[in-house]
Amino acid sequence: MSYDESNIFARIIRGEIPCDKVYEDDHVLAFRDINPQTPTHVLVVPKGAYVSFADFSQKARPEEIAAFVRAAGKIASEAGLDEPGYRILANHGPDAHQEVPHFHLHLFGGKDLGRMIKPADK
Ligand code: AMP
């Protein structure tokens, strides 16, 4: 899939649409999800034009990957989630119901998140 420059996260990164920003550096922007699923629900987004995890993992430069991973950990720590715990998740493609075609991590926390997949759903 080619990158769609008009996707909502691209527009947020370009400053065309506002966001509830929690972190920014040269390579990363993080903001609160507009429809939070947990008390803390932050989206960690690389600024580069990557459609999904597959695209990011194959094409991102080492410094972009390092910045992204470090930022995600720092955001979780600064949200006070290291002790109680948190979950990070990335949806790639149709089976995962990825809605926005710009790679992002979801950071969930602030409550007991339950098991990742219910045994009955396997
Ligand atoms: P995904 O299904 O992994 O692509 O998730 C996309 C996420 O983006 C959803 O959780 C949406 O609630 C969230 N979202 C969509 N538009 C915005 C926006 N303008 N600001 C913040 N979050 C958004």
Side-chain angles (χ1 to χ4, degrees):
M1 183 197 275
S2 62
Y3 185 79
D4 172 8
E5 294 285 350
S6 69
N7 81 75
I8 189 106
F9 292 175
R11 297 182 68 197
I12 288 172
I13 290 165
R14 289 197 296 268
E16 296 167 6
I17 293 177
C19 69
D20 186 359
K21 183 165 73 175
V22 299
Y23 177 88
E24 182 169 18
D25 66 26
D26 288 349
H27 298 295
V28 182
L29 178 66
F31 48 89
R32 296 193 190 282
D33 196 292
I34 203 164
N35 183 24
Q37 305 299 308
T38 50
T40 299
H41 184 175
V42 173
L43 301 171
V44 187
V45 183
K47 288 184 176 175
Y50 303 105
V51 176
S52 69
F53 180 73
D55 198 22
F56 183 74
S57 65
Q58 289 162 21
K59 297 182 191 156
R61 287 177 282 119
E63 58 268 33
E64 292 177 286
I65 295 170
F68 186 77
V69 172
R70 296 266 189 222
K74 185 176 160 86
I75 292 160
S77 285
E78 291 185 352
L81 297 175
D82 280 345
E83 286 300 319
Y86 57 89
R87 179 167 295 149
I88 54 176
L89 179 151
N91 292 315
H92 166 77
D95 274 3
H97 294 247
Q98 181 181 0
E99 290 172 13
V100 177
H102 182 115
F103 172 53
H104 52 282
L105 275 188
H106 295 256
L107 168 63
F108 298 109
K111 61 175 252 189
D112 184 329
L113 299 168
R115 293 177 69 89
M116 186 171 65
I117 293 175
K118 292 182 201 148
D121 293 342
K122 277 187 200 164

